[in-house]
Amino acid sequence: MSQFVTKNESWKTSLIKDRLTKPDCINVSLFDGVPRTIGQAEQLAKMNIDFTHVIEIHVEDQIIVDRMSGRRVHPKSGRNYHIDFNPPDKEGVDNETGDPLIQREDDKPETVLKRLHVYHEQTKPLTDFYINLSNAGDLKFFTIDGSKSVESVFQQISIQL
């Protein structure tokens, strides 16, 4: 499946290639959220940027919506809370200042659902792209259950590497 590569995608992949020439990236580099489309992946492949491992951290959509829509922020300081995992001492109020907390627009359920729709349409196809590369060569592709604790996810990744 090939998609049209926009100038923006080409620009992004050029930045990546430039960054990879820096001394601290020569032997090991970690990409987080890149590539996001088949077009970007194909551009990276054309530039001979080969991955040794691809990790898909899978989380069900509803869990993502719950996690993101539970975030609350103190606008002046940027302090973050979560209504379930890191609640403020008093609901809706910053612990340090007593100021009201807000829910950012991009954390509202309807916005998260729109972002997930884009993910499923544009990024999720990369799973098959990298599974196929994994079956054909030295690339190691694996999926991790991202609904677990941070420690558990880290342990699962460490075992695979």
Side-chain angles (χ1 to χ4, degrees), residues 5 8 15-16 22 28 68 72 93 111 127 138 141 153:
V5 178
N8 192 33
L15 282 176
I16 291 168
K22 306 298 184 222
V28 176
M68 293 181 76
R72 300 295 183 270
V93 177
T111 306
T127 300
D138 294 333
F141 177 92
V153 170

Side-chain angles (χ1 to χ4, degrees), residues 85-158:
F85 306 116
N86 181 33
D89 295 336
K90 183 177 176 190
E91 185 177 335
V93 177
D94 181 59
N95 289 348
E96 293 186 29
T97 66
D99 294 340
L101 300 174
I102 63 162
Q103 182 181 38
R104 297 180 327 184
E105 285 298 317
D106 59 341
D107 287 341
K108 292 188 175 175
E110 58 274 9
T111 306
V112 175
L113 287 168
K114 287 178 190 174
R115 290 167 59 193
L116 285 167
H117 175 76
V118 170
Y119 165 79
H120 288 293
E121 198 172 81
Q122 295 180 11
T123 305
K124 184 61 176 156
L126 285 169
T127 300
D128 289 337
F129 179 85
Y130 283 114
I131 287 172
N132 289 336
L133 284 180
S134 176
N135 292 336
D138 294 333
L139 173 74
K140 185 174 180 185
F141 177 92
F142 53 95
T143 301
I144 298 296
D145 181 357
S147 67
K148 306 289 184 190
S149 69
V150 172
E151 295 80 12
S152 176
V153 170
F154 179 79
Q155 182 180 25
Q156 290 177 66
I157 292 171
S158 297

Side-chain angles (χ1 to χ4, degrees), residues 1-19:
M1 171 194 312
S2 181
Q3 294 180 353
F4 177 73
V5 178
T6 67
K7 287 182 181 179
N8 192 33
E9 288 175 326
S10 180
W11 176 78
K12 287 177 186 175
T13 53
S14 294
L15 282 176
I16 291 168
K17 185 163 187 171
D18 180 61
R19 180 69 180 103

